[in-house]
Amino acid sequence: MQLPDKTPLVENVVITSASELRDLLNQALSQGKGAFLKIFAKDKNGKYYITVLLDTSKVLAVECLVVDNKQTLIGEEAVTLLKSILEKPMVVDVYSLDEIEMKLSIAENLEIYSETPKVP
């Protein structure tokens, strides 16, 4: 996914639960109109590098690289995988986005945006 080149709000934070991820996300959203996350996680099936674009109320775009076989998942498949690993330990970078950065990110990722269900 094409995302703005900027300094992360937090970098390489290890989280172990969905509530910790939500807290980091709320921190980023309190400083802007949206956020993107870079997540590295693994489970018994593989290792994943996931990028997520969100606004203040919903997920806008999700892309997942399955590191082991270089397969790329987008949209519903990527959201499903992300939900399945939310309670696993993961390393997360969090970026806060202003309104212009949000709109540019959507425009640069229209295919992924259109394939991703807009879930809260």
Side-chain angles (χ1 to χ4, degrees), residues 45-59:
N45 298 318
K47 298 177 196 85
Y48 312 102
Y49 180 69
I50 305 166
T51 50
V52 183
L53 178 64
L54 309 106
D55 68 11
T56 56
S57 65
K58 62 192 166 300
V59 173

Side-chain angles (χ1 to χ4, degrees), residues 3-11 23-38 52-56 60 92-105:
L3 296 167
D5 184 27
K6 62 183 302 171
T7 304
L9 185 62
V10 293
E11 189 172 21
D23 292 344
L24 281 175
L25 182 57
N26 287 337
Q27 180 184 356
L29 292 173
S30 72
Q31 298 183 25
K33 298 289 184 182
F36 75 86
L37 309 173
K38 293 180 181 179
V52 183
L53 178 64
L54 309 106
D55 68 11
T56 56
L60 300 175
V92 181
D93 296 346
V94 180
Y95 301 78
S96 183
L97 302 174
D98 63 26
E99 189 170 348
I100 292 171
E101 291 168 326
M102 281 294 301
K103 300 225 185 290
L104 287 172
S105 296

